[in-house]
Amino acid sequence: MSEKQVPLVVIKRLPRYYRYLGELLRNNITRISSTELSEKMGVTASQIRQDLNYFGGFGQQGYGYNVEMLYNRITSILGLDRGHKTVIIGAGNLGRALANYGGFANRGYNIVGLFDVDPALKGTFIADAPVMMYDELKSFVEKEKPDIAILSVPKNSVRKVADDMVKMGIKAFLNFAYVDLEVPDDVVVENVHLSDSMMTLSYRMASKAGE
Amino acid sequence: MSEKQVPLVVIKRLPRYYRYLGELLRNNITRISSTELSEKMGVTASQIRQDLNYFGGFGQQGYGYNVEMLYNRITSILGLDRGHKTVIIGAGNLGRALANYGGFANRGYNIVGLFDVDPALKGTFIADAPVMMYDELKSFVEKEKPDIAILSVPKNSVRKVADDMVKMGIKAFLNFAYVDLEVPDDVVVENVHLSDSMMTLSYRMASKAGE
DNA sequence: TAGATTGTTAATCGATTAACAATC
DNA sequence: TAGATTGTTAATCGATTAACAATC
């Protein structure tokens, strides 16, 4: 892709467009203008048109956008139609919850296995996915070639796990541990720092109350 | 607070400063300059100084910042020293995982109860917190006055739950359901949309691989 | 004091919004 | 065609970075 690089802020908005368009589609709405969509989503129509135009002209002057076509295009841009083999490292409470999370499987993120160090879990299944031991991970990755690793391990082991997996060739991590990972340039990390969200939340709550 | 409003981008960076300062503190580092901190954190020194100055001059020319003092100030700004009674609505896999999540309790987010509609859970405990029935929530809120509600209920019930709880006087929600909540102006919401993070992750992975 | 580093103002950069010609 | 609405350029706004006087 030698296209001009799309800003990260724009990319982060795509899932939200995807979500709203999916809703419109389920309500059998076939066309929508940027103005109508902007009212529903609480953003400007200008932003919607700018954002979509990073990926090409999906609309039609005088008409607006075809909901289904736009939905399909965004699905494809986000790669949701391609399927992604995903492993979860750490089968504790959080790992189990994530394996059971419906929002992943039906967008093509297939959990193909969980890994833990607790021998009691060996051979068990969570949401149809087998739980294996961490020392089996390397050969599993070689054989199955998963794309994405979800890291729900304790923070004192996450750096080692990430390093190991980078060596195995994994290029994408969803990290739940309360640590910033350092990875090579060709590897991407999304952090879900739950404590950070709580802190931002309580700060904003307090500052509203104090006004 | 009639101070000038601090931009949201700055507030969202505070937890990260808090985290790095905590680490320095545990390593017995007593002072740090904005330049040194900027190298560790991978941001500019200018940004650090600008950010901190929204809250007052915490440094000293020629010296830098006292780590413990700065840590304590940020702790206080974020309200982590005040304690927040928190309830979790939805005691499914995710709710249980969150109740067990250590990162909340030791930053003052005390889970005082979970609520669900499954009668089988009534009277049980998760991580020392009692599980109660959703119809007990109103009287519980009146008595205990929690500050924060974590919403880990299915997406088709989250709007009703949020509406109910706004009426009960709850001002802050951490929402895990895949829906944007509409709340009054004096109520704050932080969304944790796990699918969105996965989508952004896989998009970025694909666009790196394609270059 | 001299050196270091902040706090803060000014310059730059990037993202958002507005405007409108192109066109369905 | 006339009306509507996009795609895109230009203007504005806000956030980041640079620079440096203040000062410990």
Side-chain angles (χ1 to χ4, degrees):
Chain A
M1 320 225 163
S2 54
E3 312 277 316
K4 62 183 171 305
Q5 175 80 10
V6 181
L8 190 56
V9 281
V10 174
I11 294 162
K12 297 226 179 219
R13 281 194 291 262
L14 288 182
R16 196 152 174 268
Y17 292 127
Y18 168 77
R19 184 144 42 87
Y20 274 80
L21 288 164
E23 220 164 277
L24 293 174
L25 205 56
R26 280 188 293 281
N27 293 145
N28 297 308
I29 293 165
T30 54
R31 68 160 277 254
I32 194 155
S33 70
S34 56
T35 305
E36 288 171 287
L37 189 56
S38 76
E39 280 156 11
K40 276 189 201 295
M41 295 186 62
V43 300
T44 64
S46 230
Q47 182 166 80
I48 291 175
R49 294 204 298 277
Q50 287 273 26
D51 283 356
L52 296 180
N53 265 82
Y54 276 103
F55 305 96
F58 301 149
Q60 195 170 79
Q61 282 99 327
Y63 174 86
Y65 298 87
N66 177 290
V67 173
E68 187 174 6
M69 183 271 225
L70 189 53
Y71 178 83
N72 289 338
R73 293 295 290 110
I74 293 182
T75 302
S76 161
I77 289 166
L78 287 168
L80 305 183
D81 51 353
R82 257 159 276 158
H84 292 282
K85 285 189 184 178
T86 304
V87 292
I88 296 178
I89 317 300
N93 287 300
L94 184 58
R96 307 173 84 82
L98 295 169
N100 280 291
Y101 183 60
F104 290 160
N106 59 45
R107 288 181 190 90
Y109 302 106
N110 306 113
I111 310 299
V112 292
L114 293 92
F115 291 84
D116 205 291
V117 291
D118 180 357
L121 296 174
K122 182 166 181 164
T124 64
F125 283 78
I126 300 173
D128 295 333
V131 183
M132 291 160 272
M133 293 295 96
Y134 188 69
D135 59 21
E136 303 174 78
L137 178 59
K138 188 158 185 284
S139 67
F140 182 90
V141 169
E142 280 162 11
K143 202 166 58 203
E144 293 288 333
K145 305 209 181 308
D147 306 300
I148 300 176
I150 298 178
L151 304 177
S152 53
V153 297
K155 74 160 187 269
N156 51 20
S157 51
V158 72
R159 288 214 177 91
K160 170 160 170 36
V161 170
D163 288 349
D164 287 352
M165 296 192 79
V166 165
K167 288 199 194 92
M168 295 173 200
I170 302 293
K171 301 289 186 204
F173 295 93
L174 186 68
N175 172 41
F176 283 85
Y178 196 46
V179 161
D180 294 327
L181 297 177
E182 287 181 27
V183 295
D185 272 355
D186 63 334
V187 175
V188 290
V189 177
E190 283 283 318
N191 290 301
V192 181
H193 288 333
L194 299 174
S195 316
D196 287 16
S197 301
M198 283 295 268
M199 293 181 207
T200 307
L201 182 67
S202 59
Y203 175 91
R204 289 170 55 210
M205 176 180 68
S207 84
K208 289 232 172 172
E211 274 163 359
Chain B
M1 322 229 161
S2 53
E3 312 277 317
K4 63 184 171 307
Q5 176 80 9
V6 181
L8 191 57
V9 280
V10 175
I11 293 163
K12 297 227 178 217
R13 282 195 291 262
L14 287 181
R16 194 150 177 269
Y17 291 127
Y18 168 79
R19 184 145 41 89
Y20 274 80
L21 288 164
E23 219 164 278
L24 293 173
L25 205 56
R26 280 188 292 283
N27 293 144
N28 298 307
I29 293 166
T30 55
R31 66 161 280 252
I32 193 154
S33 69
S34 57
T35 306
E36 288 172 286
L37 189 56
S38 76
E39 281 157 9
K40 276 188 200 298
M41 293 185 64
V43 298
T44 64
S46 229
Q47 182 166 80
I48 292 175
R49 295 204 297 278
Q50 288 271 28
D51 283 355
L52 297 179
N53 265 80
Y54 277 102
F55 304 96
F58 300 149
Q60 195 170 78
Q61 282 98 329
Y63 173 87
Y65 298 86
N66 178 291
V67 174
E68 188 175 5
M69 184 270 226
L70 188 53
Y71 178 82
N72 290 339
R73 294 295 290 110
I74 293 181
T75 302
S76 162
I77 289 165
L78 287 169
L80 305 183
D81 51 352
R82 258 160 274 160
H84 293 283
K85 285 190 185 177
T86 304
V87 291
I88 296 178
I89 317 301
N93 288 301
L94 185 58
R96 306 173 85 84
L98 295 169
N100 281 290
Y101 183 59
F104 289 161
N106 59 45
R107 289 182 189 92
Y109 302 105
N110 307 113
I111 310 298
V112 293
L114 293 93
F115 291 83
D116 206 292
V117 290
D118 179 358
L121 296 173
K122 182 166 182 164
T124 63
F125 283 78
I126 299 172
D128 295 334
V131 182
M132 290 161 274
M133 291 297 95
Y134 188 70
D135 60 21
E136 303 174 80
L137 178 59
K138 187 158 188 283
S139 67
F140 182 90
V141 168
E142 279 163 10
K143 202 165 62 206
E144 293 288 333
K145 304 207 182 307
D147 306 300
I148 299 174
I150 298 178
L151 305 178
S152 52
V153 297
K155 75 160 184 271
N156 50 19
S157 51
V158 71
R159 288 214 174 90
K160 168 157 172 35
V161 170
D163 287 349
D164 287 352
M165 296 193 79
V166 164
K167 286 200 194 92
M168 295 174 199
I170 301 293
K171 301 288 186 206
F173 295 93
L174 186 68
N175 171 41
F176 283 84
Y178 196 47
V179 161
D180 293 328
L181 297 176
E182 285 181 29
V183 295
D185 272 355
D186 63 333
V187 175
V188 290
V189 176
E190 283 283 318
N191 290 301
V192 181
H193 288 332
L194 298 174
S195 317
D196 287 15
S197 302
M198 283 294 269
M199 293 180 208
T200 307
L201 182 67
S202 59
Y203 176 90
R204 290 170 56 211
M205 176 181 67
S207 84
K208 290 231 173 175
E211 274 163 3

